[in-house]
């Protein structure tokens, strides 16, 4: 029997889908995305200015100050913020034992592709200017943010710049053309991310650009030379094939890849961190994978993190 905390993400998306179809305002209990996530505890949040935008430092107690995770939030280029994601990022940074910086980028109503990629490239460069070595940096993101992290790393590679030590993709939106077969296979399981809705979101940010542009949709890109990539995705989400196909293409290009599909889970289920064992387990799996790549030894202290099967 499914536990109520583990159903919170699914319940939210179902409510969002119903409100979308009826043209209604979001229900109060679902309008606040961050309500899914438990406060991690022992984490400070400090605003900073990054290229004229407000970014957010996430600083777990006793974490390594010179190991940084650059995190890019999702939201379909129409929503999401440093505040909706701060608690989940706090859980991830705490588990890894590093600091994190949540970057801000333009929504689709502010600018179009590829401006958002340029802003994330600028965030990587800003960290380097602060004295953080790229080998001590990792890039991470969920949904649209995961696509931006991969695209920005490709830009750094093409410019001959040092690359981050590893990448994390949570339910990554890596195919703005929505070509994955999982849109049909998981159509009845994923109420919100229907193919038509995803295509509409893509149109908003592309502004006429080709959805199959390699930087808009990294599944069509040459991924050779990228750092190790950890892809986590829910087994019931329509974007499942975005991660599967990217993993296959990355492996074919000689990139080290870890793909983890979590049965029964939906888009960005890690947002339930601290409340659902599936989310906590996924975060802990990533932490154990990435710590050696950042040169961190031992196991980070993560009070309140529960272990669970995925």
């Amino acid at each position: 029997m499914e536990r109520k905390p583990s159903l919170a993400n699914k319940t939210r998306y179902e409510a969002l889908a119903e409100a979308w179809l009826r043209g209604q305002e979001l229900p109060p209990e679902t309008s606040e995305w961050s309500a899914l996530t438990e406060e991690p505890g022992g984490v400070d949040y400090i605003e900073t200015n990054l290229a004229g935008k407000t970014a957010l430092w996430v600083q777990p107690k006793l974490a390594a100050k010179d190991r940084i995770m650059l995190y890019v939030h999702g939201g379909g280029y129409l929503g999401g913020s440093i505040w909706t994601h701060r608690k989940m990022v706090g859980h991830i940074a705490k588990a890894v034992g590093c600091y994190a910086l949540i970057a801000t980028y333009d929504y689709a109503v502010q600018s179009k592709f590829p401006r958002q990629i340029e802003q994330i490239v600028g965030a990587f460069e800003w960290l380097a200017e602060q004295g953080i070595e790229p080998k001590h940096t990792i890039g991470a993101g969920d949904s649209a943010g995961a696509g931006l992290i991969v695209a920005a790393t490709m830009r750094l590679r093409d410019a001959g710049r040092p690359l981050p030590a590893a990448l994390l993709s949570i339910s990554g939106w890596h195919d703005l053309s929505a070509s994955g077969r999982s849109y049909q296979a998981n159509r009845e399981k994923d109420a919100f991310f229907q193919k038509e809705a995803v295509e509409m979101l893509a149109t908003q940010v592309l502004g006429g650009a080709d959805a199959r542009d390699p930087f808009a949709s990294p599944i069509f890109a040459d991924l050779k030379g990228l750092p190790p990539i950890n892809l986590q995705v829910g087994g019931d989400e329509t974007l499942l094939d975005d991660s599967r196909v990217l993993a296959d293409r990355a492996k074919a290009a000689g990139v080290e890849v870890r793909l983890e599909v979590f049965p029964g889970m939906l888009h960005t289920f890690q947002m339930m961190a601290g409340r659902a064992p599936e989310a906590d387990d996924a975060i802990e799996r990533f932490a154990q994978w990435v710590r050696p790549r950042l040169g961190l030894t031992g196991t980070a202290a993560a009070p309140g993190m529960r272990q669970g099967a995925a």
Side-chain angles (χ1 to χ4, degrees):
M1 182 177 179
E2 293 179 298
R3 299 171 64 255
K4 186 174 181 179
S6 299
L7 290 172
N9 196 40
K10 180 179 180 180
T11 301
R12 178 178 185 274
Y13 282 130
E14 288 175 345
L16 288 173
E18 183 175 356
W20 182 300
L21 288 173
R22 296 178 180 272
Q24 300 173 338
E25 292 187 6
L26 301 181
E29 65 272 17
T30 62
S31 60
E32 181 49 60
W33 197 354
S34 64
L36 289 172
T37 321
E38 183 71 52
E39 283 286 358
V43 179
D44 292 330
Y45 301 92
I46 302 174
E47 293 183 15
T48 190
N49 183 287
L50 201 170
K53 287 185 174 292
T54 301
L56 191 68
W57 280 111
V58 179
Q59 302 178 341
K61 303 297 184 185
L62 305 180
K65 299 178 181 179
D66 61 348
R67 303 297 197 273
I68 307 296
M69 172 175 63
L70 177 64
Y71 195 92
V72 184
H73 67 80
Y77 296 102
L78 295 180
S81 72
I82 59 178
W83 301 110
T84 58
H85 284 62
R86 69 163 182 87
K87 290 189 286 186
M88 181 182 71
V89 176
H91 280 278
I92 299 173
K94 189 174 178 179
V96 174
C98 68
Y99 276 19
L101 179 69
I102 312 177
T104 304
Y105 56 92
D106 287 356
Y107 295 133
V109 297
Q110 297 172 298
S111 64
K112 305 300 180 184
F113 167 86
R115 176 57 180 158
Q116 293 81 5
I117 299 173
E118 295 166 355
Q119 291 171 318
I120 303 309
V121 169
F124 275 117
E125 293 175 338
W126 184 85
L127 282 174
E129 291 169 1
Q130 309 311 304
I132 305 299
E133 296 185 58
K135 68 179 181 179
H136 291 161
T137 303
I138 58 175
D142 64 282
S143 197
L148 286 174
I149 277 291
V150 174
T153 305
M154 289 162 49
R155 282 283 179 88
L156 291 171
R157 175 203 62 189
D158 293 349
R161 302 293 298 274
L163 303 182
L167 304 178
L168 167 64
S169 167
I170 294 175
S171 296
W173 191 16
H174 301 298
D175 177 15
L176 270 62
S177 73
S179 64
R181 295 181 180 179
S182 52
Y183 279 102
Q184 183 59 39
N186 283 341
R187 184 178 180 85
E188 301 302 320
K189 300 175 182 177
D190 191 339
F192 187 71
F193 292 95
Q194 297 292 294
K195 182 178 175 69
E196 298 79 11
V198 173
E199 289 175 334
M200 182 279 293
L201 290 173
T203 299
Q204 294 296 311
V205 72
L206 287 170
D210 185 358
R212 294 172 64 93
D213 183 294
F215 288 95
S217 300
I219 68 162
F220 301 114
D222 176 7
L223 302 174
K224 184 177 181 181
L226 292 190
I229 305 176
N230 186 309
L231 298 110
Q232 296 187 344
V233 63
D236 283 359
E237 60 176 295
T238 55
L239 269 70
L240 172 59
D241 278 356
D242 284 42
S243 293
R244 282 176 168 169
V245 175
L246 188 74
D248 288 343
R249 289 193 60 85
K251 288 177 182 177
V255 178
E256 180 187 345
V257 177
R258 180 178 182 178
L259 171 65
E260 292 188 285
V261 179
F262 293 80
M265 293 293 102
L266 287 173
H267 198 67
T268 61
F269 69 92
Q270 292 86 345
M271 286 290 288
M272 299 185 292
R275 299 187 187 276
E278 295 87 350
D280 293 344
D281 178 62
I283 290 171
E284 185 61 24
R285 286 173 184 247
F286 169 68
Q288 293 300 322
W289 178 85
V290 81
R291 283 176 60 78
R293 290 163 175 80
L294 280 174
L296 296 172
T297 58
T299 302
M305 297 287 285
R306 299 186 299 273
Q307 293 294 318

